[in-house]
Amino acid sequence: SRRCQRRSIGCQISRENLHRRNTECEVYDDGTNTFFWRAHTVTVLFILTCALVYVTLLEETPQDTAYNTKRGIVASILVFLCFGVTQAKDGPFTRPHPAYWRFWLCVTVVYELFLIFILFQTVHDGRQFMKYIDPKLGVPLPERDYGGNCLIYDPGNTTDPFHNIWDKMDGFVPAHFLGWYIKTLMIRDWWMCMIISVMFEFLEYSLEHQLPNFSECWWDHWIMDVLVCNGLGIYCGMKTLAWLSMKPYQWQGLWNIPTYKGKIKRIAFQFTPYSWVKFEWKPASNLRRWLAVLGIIFMFLLAELNTFYLKFVLWMPPEHYLVLLRLVFFVNVGGVAMREIYDFMDDPCIGLKLGQQAWLVAAITVTEFLIVVKYDPNTIMLPIPFFITQCWLLGILLIFIWTLWRFFIRDITLRYKETRRRKQEVSADRERPQGNGSTATPSGRSKLNGSSETLRQRKT
């Protein structure tokens, strides 16, 4: 009963905090519920049934087994997406429309099932299965080496001495900037973004003996990636976060706005958040939040590595549309997952259950890594150079020592000092004089003697 009482009190406080966090950005909504916002469950069911009746009764089934298999799988996925968009549980985001986020939740389920299917295949069958998606796949591709000549100014090339810089200016440069801009909007913390950015460069240094495209020039690592692309993306992301936190959120029905300029502005703002919640991770506040922040950083880095290792083991070229689709997928589901993780850490009521999108994203990240381990264990098991291993062990040891000191030794020391201070206060209270300004006698006999002396004086 005490546990339930504490939980109810915590949930009540949590609701007040959640209401405060959601309303401190001044949300005004006139409550307009138009055709755009209504759940069209019956309409979607009717259209889906008509499509299936047409395929069954009016369309002649081709005799191509491979084509029928592909079409059957696609039809099954579309039916599941129609069900999920109309019936799935809503997440924390409502703009531009709740159905949009329900759609990506269902896509997350489909992608995880696809990864599970690939995981249970043999290496040869799994790679050849990719040909059903694109016949050009299933062929081993050489990885590009970004190292080589690392001179910023090459005096041997009289035509273009800065050719090394221009060679690195490919499509991945704006992709780096845009990626870190979006990641900043997901994480909403400058320190965490910078730590993940720098840590990934260290991972590239550590794993360049496994994947050739991790081998880059020093200025490509620290100047082009960390400072220019990543740093500029993080800076622009933080500026956008500052604007979103100060922006007034006034929602009015489109037909209630009199001017065309106001209608266009309202349509544009439909793609901004309904309300704003500032993330305060506070990793050093307690052990649970510290371990959660470490877990977030670890999963982010693992998802980044999966991007390179997956295309390596599944023989997909970097410019293939499937690689781009995976990045678009994580852009749409990552923000929801981070919000659910933050609520899981910050709210004692929501914290009893991890959000559905966060659960699926974590499962996808782990499944992708297991596919990499199964499909090419020789590459994964290549021994890391000894000095790199020493650096990582030293870093892990420092994190462990700091965690031990911050959340165990320091707390025990502070608790001991607090207990000692309270004991000293109690002993001081006992020795403090009692009564209305009169001096306390040291013992009962002296008090009695004092009373008898007073009595003698009165008699005389």
Side-chain angles (χ1 to χ4, degrees):
S1 61
R2 286 183 179 179
R3 183 180 298 176
C4 295
Q5 186 177 5
R6 286 197 302 267
R7 183 175 297 175
S8 63
I9 294 173
C11 292
Q12 183 178 2
I13 297 173
S14 171
R15 293 190 189 98
E16 294 175 357
N17 292 335
L18 189 63
H19 176 72
R20 177 185 59 80
R21 289 191 288 119
N22 279 337
T23 56
E24 64 185 7
C25 57
E26 301 180 358
V27 179
Y28 302 98
D29 195 342
D30 63 358
T32 303
N33 188 16
T34 60
F35 178 84
F36 179 71
W37 289 102
R38 294 167 192 161
H40 305 282
T41 54
V42 178
T43 305
V44 173
L45 179 61
F46 176 76
I47 295 174
L48 183 62
T49 303
C50 291
L52 294 178
V53 168
Y54 171 80
V55 172
T56 305
L57 301 179
L58 302 178
E59 187 180 66
E60 184 178 356
T61 304
Q63 300 301 317
D64 189 347
T65 304
Y67 174 77
N68 290 335
T69 302
K70 291 180 182 180
R71 193 172 66 157
I73 293 174
V74 172
S76 302
I77 294 174
L78 290 178
V79 171
F80 174 73
L81 292 179
C82 291
F83 166 78
V85 167
T86 55
Q87 301 291 343
K89 186 175 70 173
D90 288 334
F93 292 171
T94 58
R95 290 294 189 265
H97 196 281
Y100 177 81
W101 303 109
R102 292 196 293 265
F103 167 79
W104 283 107
L105 174 65
C106 298
V107 172
T108 309
V109 176
V110 173
Y111 182 53
E112 171 64 9
L113 295 177
F114 169 75
L115 292 176
I116 296 295
F117 176 80
I118 294 294
L119 182 63
F120 276 79
Q121 308 305 308
T122 63
V123 177
H124 178 267
D125 292 343
R127 287 169 175 168
Q128 296 304 313
F129 177 80
M130 302 300 294
K131 287 187 175 182
Y132 289 98
I133 302 175
D134 188 350
K136 297 179 182 179
L137 297 178
V139 180
L141 298 173
E143 286 286 336
R144 178 183 174 185
D145 188 358
Y146 284 81
N149 188 1
C150 291
L151 293 175
I152 298 178
Y153 180 83
D154 189 2
N157 192 328
T158 57
T159 305
D160 187 6
F162 295 99
H163 67 95
N164 288 327
I165 298 179
W166 310 131
D167 290 342
K168 304 300 185 292
M169 294 294 181
D170 50 13
F172 291 99
V173 173
H176 271 282
F177 167 78
L178 184 61
W180 274 103
Y181 174 77
I182 297 175
K183 289 172 191 174
T184 307
L185 298 182
M186 294 179 189
I187 302 174
R188 307 182 190 180
D189 185 83
W190 185 85
W191 279 106
M192 284 183 64
C193 290
M194 289 303 300
I195 289 173
I196 294 173
S197 175
V198 174
M199 285 291 294
F200 185 74
E201 299 302 323
F202 280 116
L203 283 174
E204 286 189 329
Y205 270 122
S206 305
L207 300 173
E208 63 181 13
H209 66 287
Q210 295 183 1
L211 293 186
N213 62 333
F214 281 162
S215 178
E216 298 178 350
C217 300
W218 65 269
W219 48 268
D220 198 0
H221 279 293
W222 304 112
I223 297 179
M224 291 188 63
D225 286 350
V226 175
L227 294 181
V228 179
C229 299
N230 303 357
L232 189 60
I234 294 172
Y235 174 79
C236 294
M238 294 303 298
K239 288 296 182 181
T240 306
L241 292 175
W243 175 75
L244 290 172
S245 62
M246 295 185 295
K247 169 186 174 294
Y249 291 86
Q250 299 178 355
W251 302 109
Q252 190 177 4
L254 187 64
W255 305 114
N256 297 331
I257 301 175
T259 62
Y260 286 106
K261 183 179 179 181
K263 293 179 186 294
I264 295 174
K265 187 177 179 180
R266 175 63 180 84
I267 293 173
F269 280 162
Q270 184 68 26
F271 297 91
T272 61
Y274 176 79
S275 62
W276 189 249
V277 176
K278 182 180 179 181
F279 286 3
E280 296 178 353
W281 294 104
K282 298 179 181 178
S285 59
N286 55 63
L287 181 61
R288 181 173 181 264
R289 297 183 75 93
W290 169 247
L291 294 178
V293 170
L294 290 181
I296 292 171
I297 294 174
F298 174 79
M299 295 301 287
F300 251 94
L301 294 174
L302 184 60
E304 292 279 356
L305 290 177
N306 288 342
T307 304
F308 295 90
Y309 279 94
L310 266 182
K311 66 182 181 181
F312 179 78
V313 301
L314 293 179
W315 295 347
M316 289 188 294
E319 63 277 2
H320 197 270
Y321 71 90
L322 288 179
V323 179
L324 180 61
L325 285 179
R326 180 184 175 276
L327 297 178
V328 172
F329 163 77
F330 272 102
V331 164
N332 285 276
V333 304
V336 183
M338 290 301 298
R339 173 62 187 275
E340 290 177 347
I341 292 173
Y342 182 78
D343 290 338
F344 178 76
M345 294 169 52
D346 201 53
D347 196 319
C349 289
I350 301 177
L352 300 176
K353 180 180 179 182
L354 184 64
Q356 50 192 3
Q357 193 69 272
W359 191 93
L360 285 169
V361 170
I364 284 173
T365 306
V366 174
T367 308
E368 287 180 342
F369 178 72
L370 293 177
I371 291 174
V372 172
V373 173
K374 178 179 180 179
Y375 276 52
D376 198 351
N378 297 326
T379 300
I380 298 297
M381 296 303 174
L382 286 176
I384 301 177
F386 181 69
F387 70 96
I388 295 179
T389 305
Q390 286 181 319
C391 293
W392 282 105
L393 290 177
L394 178 62
I396 295 173
L397 180 62
L398 291 176
I399 294 175
F400 177 77
I401 292 175
W402 188 89
T403 304
L404 192 65
W405 173 82
R406 177 62 178 81
F407 299 106
F408 294 96
I409 299 176
R410 178 175 175 271
D411 288 350
I412 293 174
T413 305
L414 291 177
R415 249 185 260 121
Y416 171 75
K417 290 181 179 179
E418 181 67 18
T419 305
R420 185 178 176 184
R421 185 182 63 81
R422 289 180 180 177
K423 288 182 179 180
Q424 291 176 354
E425 290 179 355
V426 170
S427 61
D429 290 339
R430 290 177 179 175
E431 295 175 359
R432 191 173 299 166
Q434 303 291 332
N436 299 326
S438 61
T439 305
T441 56
S443 64
R445 180 174 295 181
S446 61
K447 183 177 180 180
L448 182 61
N449 293 337
S451 300
S452 61
E453 290 176 1
T454 306
L455 185 60
R456 288 195 202 100
Q457 290 177 0
R458 288 179 180 176
K459 285 182 180 180
T460 57

